[in-house]
Amino acid sequence: MRRFVIGSARNLIESSRQKYQFERSILSSSYRFLSSSPAADSPSSSSSSSSTMAHPVSLNTINPKVIECEYAVRGEIVTLAQKLQEEIQTKPDAHPFEEILYCNIGNPQSLGQQPITFFREVLALCDHPAILDKSETQGLFSADSIERAWQILDQIPGRATGAYSHSQGIKGLRDTIAAGIEARDGFPADPNDIFLTDGASPAVHMMMQLLIRSEKDGILCPIPQYPLYSASIALHGGTLVPYYLDEATGWGLEVSELKKQLETSRSKGITVRALVVINPGNPTGQVLAEENQKAIVEFCKQEGLVLLADEVYQENVYVPEKKFHSFKKVSRSMGYGEKDIALVSFQSVSKGYYGECGKRGGYMEVTGFGADVREQIYKVASVNLCSNISGQILSSLVMSPPKVGDESYESYNAERDGILSSLARRAKTLEDAFNKLEGVTCNKAEGAMYLFPRIDLPEKAIKAAEAAKKAPDAYYCQRLLTATGIVFVPGSGFGQVPGTWHFRCTILPQEEKIPAIVTRLTDFHKSFMDEFRG
Amino acid sequence: MRRFVIGSARNLIESSRQKYQFERSILSSSYRFLSSSPAADSPSSSSSSSSTMAHPVSLNTINPKVIECEYAVRGEIVTLAQKLQEEIQTKPDAHPFEEILYCNIGNPQSLGQQPITFFREVLALCDHPAILDKSETQGLFSADSIERAWQILDQIPGRATGAYSHSQGIKGLRDTIAAGIEARDGFPADPNDIFLTDGASPAVHMMMQLLIRSEKDGILCPIPQYPLYSASIALHGGTLVPYYLDEATGWGLEVSELKKQLETSRSKGITVRALVVINPGNPTGQVLAEENQKAIVEFCKQEGLVLLADEVYQENVYVPEKKFHSFKKVSRSMGYGEKDIALVSFQSVSKGYYGECGKRGGYMEVTGFGADVREQIYKVASVNLCSNISGQILSSLVMSPPKVGDESYESYNAERDGILSSLARRAKTLEDAFNKLEGVTCNKAEGAMYLFPRIDLPEKAIKAAEAAKKAPDAYYCQRLLTATGIVFVPGSGFGQVPGTWHFRCTILPQEEKIPAIVTRLTDFHKSFMDEFRG
């Protein structure tokens, strides 16, 4: 491998390599969790593939951080699923199932969830304002969607929905979002703290880019975690400092564990910059209790850590005994303000009851940073000019939906409740089904869109996986996919306690398909266990 | 400054600091071009600003690459312009002008350019497909926009415009784009080579992330350049290797200059990875001749450089003697295929006659990379899931607009020609006006959306700028702004031959405003020269 010959650069690569080995060993419990043969995984069958002639750019000469980064949610299993789907399309009896059942990704509308009508009406009117004062429009659109579109257009300089906006997003929309946050939390929110982004992912990248200086900077992340975090930390050359969620207490987040991991990493010379908390949890589905959140805020304050609060599932809570509390509300209720704690809250239009993943809308609320650092965040946002305006508009809509008395209110409310109550039923049905499987235990799905059951695999299955050069959970998921068409993501893509195995399953397939999924899964699991039982 | 105490990390910081000094000295000819007082530049007047108590995160502890990166197009002058605008709104006679005339950024619709009706019709229908088969819709939308919306919906699995798509973008839309490229170039294009992105900027970042391993990796960039490139290279920790465009020959791109700079940087231990060419040029407005492009392709092939072709202004050519040729067409016409040259072409919906900046749509066509490297690009795209679907749809529309016989064709054609011919007239008027100013010379605006006149400033003005701690062109632009409300970007933000001074002016203000701009500029310039003439 021909990389560098210069001293300091080599040192960097060496230490970065050690770091990745450290990280990988944590995340995959000694399995290289998503590798196998890169050529076979190629996402597209371009004519460019060749082994005879050299291309100017090779794997040996690209950024090693890119190579190290992994993103399981669209990894090997999903690539295989796409291949099987193509095979079924050309030859319907190619496999022992009629369709691929994607339970791998939080993408509700790809599985048939319908968008909220009011939101789409407003977006369409803002896309083509020329029809706003035509008489036919009143027959096609609700009165309040027409009114809202006018309001939004009036907030955009020159009513130009096709113009770059302020780098943080359109000011009027940020006002609406701040008002929505205030209504949610009961504490003030400043529109100048809002940065609108193309979904939550670019916001997370922006914070990692800001905070990570080298591999000596660490970010505390839950294990299991949503792999955006491990990918973003790897791409920005930092170190993922893991803290384990306690499966036995319903994926509990213990501050003692945070302290332990912080001290361990400090003793290794890592400067921990931030703590990532995903609430409700992805992939774990737990909803944090307010007392627990207070202890987390206190910990961040004491240790001077930035609290990166992934709150994109704030609308997805399915059990009456739990309620979502934003970390901003919790910290303000403790009397902590701007000077006490640096807190970034991420929100997205992709989740909730709206599930508008394709719109790429979202925001981060950035508090507790000085004006000088804020200016740097603004500058980085400016390099990309602005996020897409439809996503900006939708972000304002989800924080300010129709209200009692609006023409759309009843239909909006029915659509919203229909989706959320169905999600709750689906979560419960799948949770119960998992708990009936031999060797499988599944915590309660309190929130978010996922279940993360644990599977005790027979020794023989682990051996078979080893022979197939797969992590045992990846082996299980691949066998499940080829037998049933069901797509789960192996737990090794999210991280798990070494020696334990899990998979992530979304609760998103349409409700009428859930019984078939349960039957197929149950049948497969029985035969898999029969095959490998000791 | 408290940064690191660990040896290798300090080495990195040291060498990175040297590198930035090198880069800065190239770009700004010894002036720190956009600094001055950070506190005063704060983009938002948040309550978080404080000098008495420390925030957990300070400028001393964030990623120094973020601090080093600059983006002049939304820099200090623009922040000042926004401040003046607010002042005028509250107190109309606060300044000697009634409005701010933004000539700083290629943002046509913010200055009154109207969107192409057909494009907006299709977008609105795809946003709210529920109205597609309503009778009122036929009264509001053209028949071909309804038909196109159906076609597009049928290309999206489950017609779900709210779902995440394939990480490269919706396959059917990539098919349309590839067909559009084929029709443009007369050479085949593969939909699997297309990566749809949220505008061109994220695509540029993605390639920089892929290619740059350390500060020892260099990217050849034109000087003057669009500051996205210097910003992205800084953020990814690489080295900008400048090559100068020759102002005397209409911003000519000489291969001898490329060779000289390549050799110089190699002798300093820099591995040059890629060559950025912006054609038509930004900020320089030149359109490359085909023979010149052939020589550039040959150079990249010989030297094993990736050719990063910024072709976002491909529709913006204003002079009959010049024509846009894509670098892919040029290289294929030379007989060079996949194995001969690695070529990335960037395209955006923000420019052209459409100017849909707020939609954040664009794509890159990636050719000449092996399947293994392509898979890495795909993985990085997957970490961000996908680009926004409206932007994807619009990208397909600009590469496949209405055709003769379609109901919208005539109105589409009239809108398109109206915009492009007006832009050509505005370019000529401004070019002539600049050339009439004392000490100012301006090359022909052959394409793109900018003029980049050179200004010979009197010695006294340079002294005054020095006293004000500004680069001389920044000083001129600030004086111009406060006297007239006209916003230009100083040439030091783009880079220029040391000792020369320029500014960038867009040709985008609406045509009826151009005479007033010319008058105000001419009057200001005369009094400025009178003030400082030796």
Side-chain angles (χ1 to χ4, degrees):
Chain A
M1 210 141 73
R2 192 175 54 83
R3 266 178 181 159
F4 292 107
V5 285
I6 294 100
S8 67
R10 188 194 286 156
N11 289 346
L12 172 67
I13 292 294
E14 287 303 322
S15 80
S16 138
R17 208 176 276 156
Q18 283 160 20
K19 191 267 304 174
Y20 286 120
Q21 279 160 4
F22 163 71
E23 191 173 283
R24 191 184 295 155
S25 71
I26 286 160
L27 281 177
S28 65
S29 50
S30 89
Y31 287 88
R32 179 79 175 88
F33 48 96
L34 271 170
S35 61
S36 82
S37 58
D41 297 352
S42 176
S44 54
S45 55
S46 162
S47 55
S48 62
S49 137
S50 162
S51 54
T52 51
M53 272 189 70
H55 287 273
V57 179
S58 74
L59 280 190
N60 291 339
T61 61
I62 67 170
N63 181 356
K65 292 172 192 159
V66 167
I67 296 178
E68 293 295 338
C69 127
E70 298 288 358
Y71 187 67
V73 174
R74 292 203 164 178
E76 192 184 358
I77 290 279
V78 183
T79 305
L80 175 60
Q82 285 166 345
K83 190 172 148 273
L84 299 183
Q85 185 166 37
E86 281 168 28
E87 288 170 5
I88 294 171
Q89 270 160 4
T90 52
K91 207 177 149 216
D93 57 353
H95 296 284
F97 43 84
E98 282 162 21
E99 62 172 335
I100 301 292
L101 292 159
Y102 286 100
C103 305
N104 60 299
I105 188 164
N107 193 7
Q109 294 191 27
S110 74
L111 298 175
Q113 182 176 309
Q114 292 303 302
I116 300 293
T117 306
F118 175 79
F119 295 167
R120 290 304 190 96
E121 286 181 336
V122 178
L123 288 183
L125 291 168
C126 291
D127 265 344
H128 192 37
I131 63 171
L132 265 169
D133 45 18
K134 299 266 174 76
S135 61
E136 295 97 327
T137 301
Q138 289 166 32
L140 286 175
F141 293 84
S142 63
D144 54 337
S145 71
I146 294 173
E147 198 191 324
R148 184 71 75 97
W150 278 121
Q151 277 174 18
I152 290 171
L153 288 169
D154 285 340
Q155 290 168 335
I156 302 176
R159 293 184 178 165
T161 54
Y164 295 129
S165 72
H166 184 283
S167 305
Q168 291 184 232
I170 293 159
K171 174 63 165 57
L173 300 178
R174 287 187 279 128
D175 290 340
T176 305
I177 290 168
I181 295 171
E182 280 190 19
R184 181 194 69 193
D185 291 347
F187 290 94
D190 184 341
N192 292 317
D193 291 344
I194 309 290
F195 287 75
L196 283 151
T197 49
D198 292 309
S201 304
V204 170
H205 285 309
M206 222 186 280
M207 292 312 300
M208 296 301 172
Q209 186 164 52
L210 185 83
L211 293 171
I212 295 173
R213 296 161 295 187
S214 76
E215 72 279 7
K216 304 303 288 177
D217 278 341
I219 308 290
L220 268 164
C221 284
I223 298 295
Q225 53 106 29
Y226 173 51
L228 166 66
Y229 293 97
S230 51
S232 187
I233 293 167
L235 285 173
H236 292 99
T239 293
L240 186 151
V241 177
Y243 66 91
Y244 287 91
L245 301 174
D246 183 15
E247 187 163 10
T249 57
W251 299 114
L253 199 172
E254 299 296 333
V255 170
S256 58
E257 165 74 3
L258 295 178
K259 282 187 179 147
K260 190 183 98 185
Q261 298 294 353
L262 179 71
E263 277 157 28
T264 305
S265 60
R266 280 182 179 163
S267 73
K268 290 178 183 166
I270 302 288
T271 304
V272 178
R273 310 298 318 270
L275 168 69
V276 172
V277 178
I278 312 173
N279 180 45
N282 175 5
T284 41
Q286 84 284 27
V287 177
L288 296 180
E290 199 175 355
E291 283 309 307
N292 195 183
Q293 291 183 270
K294 284 184 182 169
I296 294 164
V297 167
E298 194 59 46
F299 168 76
C300 287
K301 184 182 181 304
Q302 294 298 328
E303 303 293 349
L305 303 184
V306 178
L307 178 49
L308 300 174
D310 181 336
E311 300 182 324
V312 301
Y313 297 100
Q314 56 189 263
E315 303 271 7
N316 299 95
V317 179
Y318 307 121
V319 291
E321 67 271 23
K322 287 288 181 78
K323 200 175 162 326
F324 169 78
H325 304 279
S326 79
F327 271 103
K328 172 132 168 283
K329 173 185 165 184
V330 169
S331 60
R332 296 295 176 268
S333 73
M334 296 166 75
Y336 293 150
E338 276 289 332
K339 306 293 165 48
D340 303 302
I341 181 161
L343 169 61
V344 183
S345 166
F346 302 101
Q347 164 68 321
S348 167
V349 303
S350 305
K351 310 302 170 189
Y353 56 90
Y354 19 90
E356 291 276 19
C357 302
K359 296 297 173 190
R360 312 309 290 124
Y363 69 80
M364 57 178 180
E365 186 189 12
V366 178
T367 56
F369 290 78
D372 49 358
V373 175
R374 284 276 299 271
E375 191 196 0
Q376 297 294 321
I377 303 173
Y378 173 79
K379 184 178 66 181
V380 171
S382 294
V383 174
N384 283 328
L385 299 158
C386 68
S387 62
N388 83 86
I389 305 297
S390 293
Q392 293 191 24
I393 292 170
L394 194 48
S395 298
S396 82
L397 295 177
V398 306
M399 298 306 283
S400 171
K403 287 173 187 56
V404 182
D406 294 345
E407 184 183 311
S408 293
Y409 179 72
E410 270 186 50
S411 65
Y412 156 77
N413 216 32
E415 289 174 359
R416 176 184 182 283
D417 287 354
I419 290 166
L420 288 173
S421 58
S422 171
L423 285 173
R425 286 192 299 273
R426 289 180 246 175
K428 188 79 182 80
T429 305
L430 286 167
E431 175 197 319
D432 289 346
F434 283 128
N435 280 317
K436 282 189 189 134
L437 300 181
E438 178 189 351
V440 174
T441 52
C442 183
N443 277 324
K444 198 182 267 190
E446 296 176 336
M449 296 180 169
Y450 315 100
L451 292 161
F452 198 65
R454 174 174 172 171
I455 176 165
D456 287 322
L457 288 165
E459 202 49 47
K460 272 191 191 167
I462 292 172
K463 286 268 188 317
E466 221 161 85
K469 296 192 167 115
K470 303 249 172 238
D473 47 7
Y475 180 72
Y476 179 90
C477 288
Q478 191 185 308
R479 289 282 306 263
L480 174 73
L481 169 59
T482 53
T484 67
I486 298 171
V487 191
F488 290 168
V489 184
S492 37
F494 304 89
Q496 51 201 345
V497 169
T500 69
W501 306 107
H502 300 76
F503 45 84
R504 187 182 84 164
C505 164
T506 73
I507 59 171
L508 298 175
Q510 286 301 285
E511 207 164 351
E512 65 270 21
K513 294 202 172 170
I514 300 285
I517 290 175
V518 169
T519 307
R520 287 200 221 172
L521 169 70
T522 306
D523 293 348
F524 162 79
H525 187 78
K526 189 176 175 307
S527 72
F528 183 90
M529 294 302 272
D530 287 347
E531 182 180 340
F532 292 109
R533 199 176 286 108
Chain B
M1 215 147 60
R2 190 177 54 87
R3 266 180 183 159
F4 292 107
V5 285
I6 294 100
S8 66
R10 187 193 286 156
N11 288 345
L12 173 68
I13 292 295
E14 287 304 322
S15 79
S16 139
R17 208 176 275 155
Q18 284 160 19
K19 192 266 304 175
Y20 286 120
Q21 280 160 3
F22 163 72
E23 191 174 282
R24 191 184 294 156
S25 70
I26 285 161
L27 282 177
S28 66
S29 50
S30 90
Y31 286 88
R32 179 81 174 87
F33 48 97
L34 272 170
S35 60
S36 83
S37 58
D41 297 352
S42 177
S44 53
S45 56
S46 161
S47 57
S48 63
S49 137
S50 162
S51 55
T52 50
M53 273 190 69
H55 285 273
V57 179
S58 75
L59 280 190
N60 291 338
T61 61
I62 68 169
N63 181 357
K65 291 173 193 160
V66 167
I67 296 178
E68 293 295 337
C69 127
E70 296 289 359
Y71 186 67
V73 174
R74 292 202 165 178
E76 193 184 358
I77 290 278
V78 183
T79 306
L80 175 60
Q82 285 166 344
K83 190 172 148 274
L84 299 183
Q85 185 165 36
E86 281 167 28
E87 289 169 6
I88 294 171
Q89 271 160 5
T90 52
K91 205 176 152 218
D93 56 353
H95 296 284
F97 43 85
E98 282 162 21
E99 62 173 333
I100 301 290
L101 292 158
Y102 287 100
C103 305
N104 60 300
I105 189 165
N107 193 8
Q109 294 190 29
S110 73
L111 298 176
Q113 183 176 308
Q114 291 304 301
I116 300 292
T117 306
F118 174 80
F119 295 167
R120 291 304 191 97
E121 287 181 335
V122 177
L123 288 182
L125 291 168
C126 290
D127 265 346
H128 193 36
I131 63 170
L132 264 169
D133 45 18
K134 299 265 175 74
S135 60
E136 294 97 328
T137 302
Q138 289 167 32
L140 286 176
F141 294 84
S142 62
D144 53 337
S145 72
I146 295 173
E147 197 191 324
R148 184 70 76 98
W150 277 120
Q151 277 173 19
I152 289 170
L153 288 168
D154 285 340
Q155 290 168 337
I156 302 176
R159 294 184 178 164
T161 54
Y164 295 129
S165 72
H166 184 282
S167 306
Q168 289 183 235
I170 293 161
K171 174 63 165 57
L173 301 178
R174 287 187 279 128
D175 290 341
T176 305
I177 290 168
I181 295 171
E182 281 190 19
R184 182 193 68 193
D185 291 348
F187 289 96
D190 184 341
N192 293 315
D193 292 344
I194 310 292
F195 287 75
L196 284 151
T197 49
D198 291 309
S201 304
V204 169
H205 285 309
M206 222 186 280
M207 291 313 301
M208 295 302 174
Q209 186 164 52
L210 185 82
L211 293 172
I212 295 172
R213 296 161 295 187
S214 77
E215 73 278 9
K216 303 302 289 178
D217 278 340
I219 308 289
L220 267 164
C221 284
I223 297 296
Q225 52 107 29
Y226 174 50
L228 166 66
Y229 293 98
S230 51
S232 187
I233 293 167
L235 285 172
H236 291 100
T239 293
L240 187 151
V241 177
Y243 65 90
Y244 287 91
L245 301 173
D246 183 17
E247 187 163 12
T249 58
W251 299 113
L253 198 172
E254 298 297 331
V255 170
S256 58
E257 165 73 3
L258 296 177
K259 282 189 179 147
K260 189 183 98 185
Q261 299 294 352
L262 179 71
E263 276 156 30
T264 304
S265 60
R266 279 182 179 162
S267 73
K268 291 177 182 165
I270 302 288
T271 304
V272 178
R273 309 298 318 270
L275 168 69
V276 172
V277 179
I278 311 174
N279 179 45
N282 176 4
T284 40
Q286 84 285 28
V287 177
L288 297 180
E290 198 174 357
E291 284 308 307
N292 195 185
Q293 291 183 272
K294 284 185 183 170
I296 294 163
V297 167
E298 194 61 43
F299 169 76
C300 287
K301 183 181 182 305
Q302 294 298 329
E303 303 293 349
L305 303 183
V306 177
L307 178 49
L308 300 174
D310 182 334
E311 300 182 326
V312 302
Y313 297 100
Q314 56 189 264
E315 303 272 6
N316 299 95
V317 179
Y318 307 120
V319 290
E321 67 272 23
K322 286 289 179 80
K323 199 176 163 328
F324 169 77
H325 304 280
S326 79
F327 270 104
K328 172 131 168 285
K329 174 186 163 182
V330 169
S331 60
R332 295 295 175 268
S333 73
M334 295 166 76
Y336 292 149
E338 277 288 333
K339 307 294 164 49
D340 302 303
I341 181 161
L343 169 61
V344 183
S345 166
F346 302 101
Q347 164 67 320
S348 167
V349 303
S350 304
K351 310 302 170 187
Y353 55 91
Y354 18 92
E356 291 277 18
C357 302
K359 296 297 172 189
R360 310 309 289 123
Y363 70 80
M364 58 178 178
E365 186 189 13
V366 177
T367 56
F369 289 78
D372 49 358
V373 175
R374 286 275 300 270
E375 190 195 1
Q376 298 294 323
I377 303 173
Y378 173 79
K379 184 178 68 183
V380 172
S382 294
V383 173
N384 283 328
L385 297 157
C386 67
S387 62
N388 83 86
I389 305 296
S390 293
Q392 292 191 24
I393 291 170
L394 193 48
S395 298
S396 82
L397 295 177
V398 305
M399 297 307 283
S400 171
K403 286 172 187 59
V404 180
D406 293 346
E407 184 182 311
S408 293
Y409 180 73
E410 269 184 52
S411 64
Y412 155 77
N413 215 33
E415 290 173 359
R416 176 185 183 280
D417 286 354
I419 291 166
L420 287 174
S421 57
S422 170
L423 285 174
R425 286 192 299 272
R426 288 179 247 175
K428 187 79 182 80
T429 305
L430 286 167
E431 176 198 316
D432 290 346
F434 284 128
N435 279 318
K436 282 188 192 135
L437 301 181
E438 178 190 351
V440 174
T441 51
C442 184
N443 276 323
K444 197 180 267 191
E446 297 176 334
M449 297 180 168
Y450 315 100
L451 292 162
F452 197 67
R454 175 174 171 170
I455 175 164
D456 287 322
L457 289 164
E459 202 50 46
K460 273 191 191 165
I462 292 173
K463 286 267 187 319
E466 221 161 85
K469 296 199 169 106
K470 302 250 173 240
D473 47 8
Y475 180 73
Y476 180 90
C477 288
Q478 191 185 307
R479 290 282 306 264
L480 175 72
L481 169 60
T482 52
T484 66
I486 299 172
V487 191
F488 290 167
V489 184
S492 38
F494 304 89
Q496 50 201 345
V497 169
T500 70
W501 307 107
H502 300 76
F503 45 83
R504 188 182 82 164
C505 164
T506 73
I507 59 171
L508 297 175
Q510 286 300 287
E511 205 163 351
E512 65 271 21
K513 295 203 172 168
I514 300 286
I517 291 175
V518 169
T519 307
R520 288 201 222 172
L521 170 70
T522 305
D523 293 348
F524 163 79
H525 187 79
K526 189 176 176 309
S527 71
F528 183 90
M529 296 302 272
D530 287 346
E531 180 180 344
F532 292 109
R533 199 175 289 107

